[in-house]
C-alpha cells in the first residue's frame, strides 16, 4: 500500500479538497483507497456521509478516523490488513506530533498552496519543516507543492510572478484550478459518480460538462502523483 499525505501549516490551503479530488481520480481508475482523516473536524467522514446520502460513494473506499498517534497507527494497520492499494492521508493545519508522523510515514508529501503571499509563505515553511524532518530521520521522501485554486481566467501580473516564484520549488506539473466542481466536492461525493448522475439529467448538462473538465484535471494530477510514487 502506497501512502500519499497532504500537509500544510495553513488551514484552508486546499488539502482536504485535493485529497477528495485525487481519491475520486484513483477510484475512477479502479483503485481501492483508504482515506485516513487526521483532522478533528473529520471532513472526510462528512464527505463519505454526504456521498452515501447522494448515492455517489463507492465501497472500494474505506474511511479511517485518526485524531491521535495511537489511532493513526491503528488506521494504518487496519488499512494494510484490508489490502487497500493506496492510503490518502489528510492532515489538519498547524504543527503537531501527529502531523509530523503523517509526513514521515508516507511515500509522498503534497503541500498545497494558492497564489497568495500568505499561502506561499506557509507552503515554504511547511516544505522546509517537512524536508528537515526527513533529513533528521535519514529519509528521502518525495515532497512537492501542489499549486491550488489557480484562477481559470487570465492571471494577473502578480499572480504570474507568484507562480514563477513557487515554481522554483519542486511542484507538480498539473495545477488545480478554482472550480465550482472542487468547491462543492465535499457536499456531493466522488467526482466521477457525481458526473454520472449529472450526465443522465438533461437539465444539468452544462454542469456535467464543467465537471468533466475538472475530472480531466484531477486525472492528470493523479498521474503526476503516480509518477512521483514510482521513484518512492
Ligand atoms: N480548487 C478549488 N476550487 C474551488 N474551491 C476550492 C478549491 N480548493 C479548495 N477550495 C475551497 O477552499 C476552502 C478550503 O479548502 P480545504 O480543502 O478545506 O483546505 P484545507 O483542508 O487545507 O483546510 C474550502 O471551502 C474549499 O471548498
Ligand atoms: Mg482540511
Amino acid at each position: 500500500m502506497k501512502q500519499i499525505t497532504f500537509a500544510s501549516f495553513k488551514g484552508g490551503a486546499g488539502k482536504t479538497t485535493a485529497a477528495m479530488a485525487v481519491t475520486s481520480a484513483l477510484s475512477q481508475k479502479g483503485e481501492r483507497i483508504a482515506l485516513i482523516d487526521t483532522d478533528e473536524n473529520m471532513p472526510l467522514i462528512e464527505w463519505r456521509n454526504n456521498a452515501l446520502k447522494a448515492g455517489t460513494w463507492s465501497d472500494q473506499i474505506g474511511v479511517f478516523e485518526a485524531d491521535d498517534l495511537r489511532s493513526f497507527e491503528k488506521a494504518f494497520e487496519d488499512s494494510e490488513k484490508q489490502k487497500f492499494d493506496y492510503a490518502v492521508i489528510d492532515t489538519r493545519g498547524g504543527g503537531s506530533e501527529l502531523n509530523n508522523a503523517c509526513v514521515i510515514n508516507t511515500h509522498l508529501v503534497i503541500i498545497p498552496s494558492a497564489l497568495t503571499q500568505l499561502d506561499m509563505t506557509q507552503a515554504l515553511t511547511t516544505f522546509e519543516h517537512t524536508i528537515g524532518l526527513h533529513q533528521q530521520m535519514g529519509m528521502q521522501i518525495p515532497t512537492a507543492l501542489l499549486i491550488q485554486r489557480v484562477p481559470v481566467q487570465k492571471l494577473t501580473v502578480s499572480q504570474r510572478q507568484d507562480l514563477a516564484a513557487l515554481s522554483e520549488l519542486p511542484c507538480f506539473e498539473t495545477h488545480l484550478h478554482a472550480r465550482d466542481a472542487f468547491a462543492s466536492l465535499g457536499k456531493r461525493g466522488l467526482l466521477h459518480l457525481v458526473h454520472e448522475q449529472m450526465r443522465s439529467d438533461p437539465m444539468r448538462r452544462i454542469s456535467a460538462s464543467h465537471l468533466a473538465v475538472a475530472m480531466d484535471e484531477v486525472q492528470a494530477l493523479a498521474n503526476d502523483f503516480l509518477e512521483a510514487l514510482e521513484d518512492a
Side-chain angles (χ1 to χ4, degrees), residues 18-46:
M20 295 187 291
V22 83
T23 297
S24 300
L26 291 172
S27 169
Q28 192 182 5
K29 286 180 190 287
E31 306 290 0
R32 298 185 66 236
I33 322 287
L35 272 175
I36 303 186
D37 193 346
T38 76
D39 185 335
E40 61 221 340
N41 295 320
M42 302 295 167
L44 296 176
I45 308 244
E46 195 181 321

Side-chain angles (χ1 to χ4, degrees), residues 17-33 35 44 46-63 88 181-182 184-198 211 214-215 218-219:
T17 305
M20 295 187 291
V22 83
T23 297
S24 300
L26 291 172
S27 169
Q28 192 182 5
K29 286 180 190 287
E31 306 290 0
R32 298 185 66 236
I33 322 287
L35 272 175
L44 296 176
E46 195 181 321
W47 184 42
R48 180 200 48 199
N49 293 344
N50 290 338
L52 281 172
K53 266 186 237 151
T56 50
W57 191 246
S58 158
D59 60 9
Q60 300 295 302
I61 303 173
V63 188
V88 171
F182 296 139
S184 61
L185 203 48
K187 296 224 159 49
R188 287 183 169 163
L190 289 160
L191 205 49
H192 57 297
L193 299 185
V194 175
H195 181 250
E196 254 174 41
Q197 274 188 355
M198 272 189 184
L211 222 62
M215 277 163 57
V218 287
Q219 280 294 343

Side-chain angles (χ1 to χ4, degrees), residues 10-17 148-149 176-179 182-183:
K10 187 175 175 293
K15 297 179 286 297
T16 303
T17 305
Q148 241 284 39
R149 252 180 295 163
L176 285 188
H177 286 83
R179 300 184 187 280
F182 296 139

Side-chain angles (χ1 to χ4, degrees), residues 149-160:
R149 252 180 295 163
V150 178
V152 283
Q153 65 273 33
K154 197 170 181 294
L155 298 187
T156 63
V157 172
S158 85
Q159 284 166 339
R160 280 208 302 275

Side-chain angles (χ1 to χ4, degrees), residues 10-232:
K10 187 175 175 293
K15 297 179 286 297
T16 303
T17 305
M20 295 187 291
V22 83
T23 297
S24 300
L26 291 172
S27 169
Q28 192 182 5
K29 286 180 190 287
E31 306 290 0
R32 298 185 66 236
I33 322 287
L35 272 175
I36 303 186
D37 193 346
T38 76
D39 185 335
E40 61 221 340
N41 295 320
M42 302 295 167
L44 296 176
I45 308 244
E46 195 181 321
W47 184 42
R48 180 200 48 199
N49 293 344
N50 290 338
L52 281 172
K53 266 186 237 151
T56 50
W57 191 246
S58 158
D59 60 9
Q60 300 295 302
I61 303 173
V63 188
F64 299 83
E65 276 184 47
D67 60 356
D68 60 24
L69 280 174
R70 180 68 206 104
S71 52
F72 180 62
E73 271 170 9
K74 173 94 172 59
F76 236 94
E77 274 167 30
D78 290 349
S79 47
E80 285 274 9
K81 264 190 226 143
Q82 293 173 38
K83 301 210 180 324
F84 284 99
D85 300 303
Y86 295 93
V88 171
I89 302 160
D90 186 26
T91 64
R92 55 186 145 187
S96 67
E97 264 190 310
L98 180 57
N99 279 358
N100 287 351
C102 292
V103 298
I104 290 169
N105 293 288
T106 191
H107 297 96
L108 178 64
V109 181
I110 298 146
I111 303 169
S113 175
L115 296 177
T116 70
Q117 284 302 318
L118 179 61
D119 260 68
M120 289 166 53
T121 308
Q122 295 280 348
L124 178 60
T125 310
T126 310
F127 181 80
E128 285 171 344
H129 172 78
T130 304
I131 297 290
L133 281 175
H134 295 164
Q135 279 171 351
Q136 267 174 35
M137 310 288 290
M139 293 169 151
Q140 268 193 318
I141 302 172
T143 299
L145 267 59
L146 163 61
I147 305 179
Q148 241 284 39
R149 252 180 295 163
V150 178
V152 283
Q153 65 273 33
K154 197 170 181 294
L155 298 187
T156 63
V157 172
S158 85
Q159 284 166 339
R160 280 208 302 275
Q161 284 167 348
D162 289 347
L163 188 59
L166 272 185
S167 306
E168 300 281 313
L169 292 169
C171 286
F172 292 101
E173 209 175 293
T174 307
H175 305 161
L176 285 188
H177 286 83
R179 300 184 187 280
D180 286 349
F182 296 139
S184 61
L185 203 48
K187 296 224 159 49
R188 287 183 169 163
L190 289 160
L191 205 49
H192 57 297
L193 299 185
V194 175
H195 181 250
E196 254 174 41
Q197 274 188 355
M198 272 189 184
R199 224 181 24 180
S200 58
D201 180 349
M203 303 292 287
R204 304 186 74 186
R205 276 215 197 105
I206 294 176
S207 301
S209 68
H210 282 274
L211 222 62
V213 174
M215 277 163 57
D216 286 346
E217 192 163 284
V218 287
Q219 280 294 343
L221 184 63
N223 289 337
D224 287 359
F225 291 173
L226 295 182
E227 202 177 298
L229 279 171
E230 275 171 24
D231 311 327

